[in-house]
Amino acid sequence: MKHLLLFALLSAATHTFAQDGRLPLDSKNNISYTDSGQPKLSKTELHQKVRAWVDRKFGNAQNAITSDDTQAGIILITSYIPVIHSDYQYIRFDLGIQYKDNQYDARITTLDGVSAEHSPVRLSSKENDNIVAKEQSIKTESSRKKRKDAELALQTAKADNEGINTSLYNLLGDLKTYVTNPKAE
């Protein structure tokens, strides 16, 4: 029953997001989620807003913030976020936010899949390579049963990546909404 429910969730996620199931990579082939905004706030106000967001989002800024350099306008956060994934319950990530008057840039990097069953696993471009290998396997498989199994494995792998994408893009969206909303406190 547990596997049937997981399959239903993963199938729904695959059809709902309808993306290619790949994680975003930077020019050095590392996983990287980025966003920026131009709120009409001074550097000091942005610092206060980002810290307030961290408190609200992660419960305690002191536990989540690993570096806070107000002079340079950089806050580094290391924390966890729940994720819909067949192997992990959480993703541990690093979020760097650079800010100056009327502008901020946020970048999420260094992802680890976290599960109660095994040690954290560093996520990399191999997640995308896995998708490509599964797509190739489907194209070359002649057995109907094996092709069906390969298609299911591909759907699961894509849904897993989309679960990660959704959680992290939602996190960046939440930051943007909080920082640019004049009433957020």
Side-chain angles (χ1 to χ4, degrees):
M1 183 68 172
K2 181 180 174 183
H3 294 290
L4 182 61
L5 180 60
L6 177 62
F7 175 72
L9 284 172
L10 293 175
S11 295
T14 301
H15 295 297
T16 302
F17 302 122
Q19 294 181 4
D20 67 357
R22 289 172 175 78
L23 302 176
L25 302 176
D26 64 14
S27 61
K28 295 179 181 174
N29 227 20
N30 296 317
I31 298 173
S32 178
Y33 296 82
T34 59
D35 193 27
S36 61
Q38 297 180 335
K40 296 185 183 342
L41 298 170
S42 69
K43 182 177 177 181
T44 302
E45 291 169 320
L46 268 171
H47 179 261
Q48 292 168 349
K49 279 268 198 158
V50 170
R51 283 196 62 97
W53 174 78
V54 172
D55 267 336
R56 184 181 65 80
K57 191 69 180 176
F58 302 107
N60 183 342
Q62 289 178 330
N63 290 338
I65 295 176
T66 55
S67 177
D68 186 354
D69 187 340
T70 55
Q71 291 279 5
I74 299 172
I75 293 180
L76 300 175
I77 301 159
T78 299
S79 194
Y80 298 81
I81 191 163
V83 65
I84 297 174
H85 196 283
S86 62
D87 293 329
Y88 315 118
Q89 289 83 38
Y90 295 91
I91 295 294
R92 181 175 55 207
F93 62 89
D94 293 333
L95 168 58
I97 303 169
Q98 276 189 291
Y99 57 91
K100 58 185 179 182
D101 288 341
N102 304 312
Q103 182 178 352
Y104 78 91
D105 294 298
R107 182 172 183 224
I108 297 173
T109 59
T110 316
L111 306 180
D112 294 315
V114 179
S115 167
E117 288 96 38
H118 52 77
S119 299
V121 175
R122 179 64 39 98
L123 303 179
S124 67
S125 62
K126 290 179 185 177
E127 312 317 306
N128 291 348
D129 296 343
N130 187 23
I131 299 284
V132 172
K134 288 180 184 336
E135 288 172 339
Q136 190 62 34
S137 171
I138 290 170
K139 291 177 184 176
T140 59
E141 187 54 59
S142 59
S143 164
R144 224 184 248 189
K145 167 116 176 71
K146 288 182 181 177
R147 181 178 295 182
K148 191 77 159 167
D149 291 344
E151 288 171 351
L152 181 59
L154 175 62
Q155 284 181 341
T156 301
K158 284 184 174 185
D160 285 346
N161 283 355
E162 288 305 330
I164 295 168
N165 285 339
T166 299
S167 293
L168 295 175
Y169 282 128
N170 284 345
L171 182 68
L172 289 174
D174 188 60
L175 171 64
K176 179 174 272 182
T177 299
Y178 192 85
V179 169
T180 59
N181 184 355
K183 294 183 183 178
E185 292 298 322

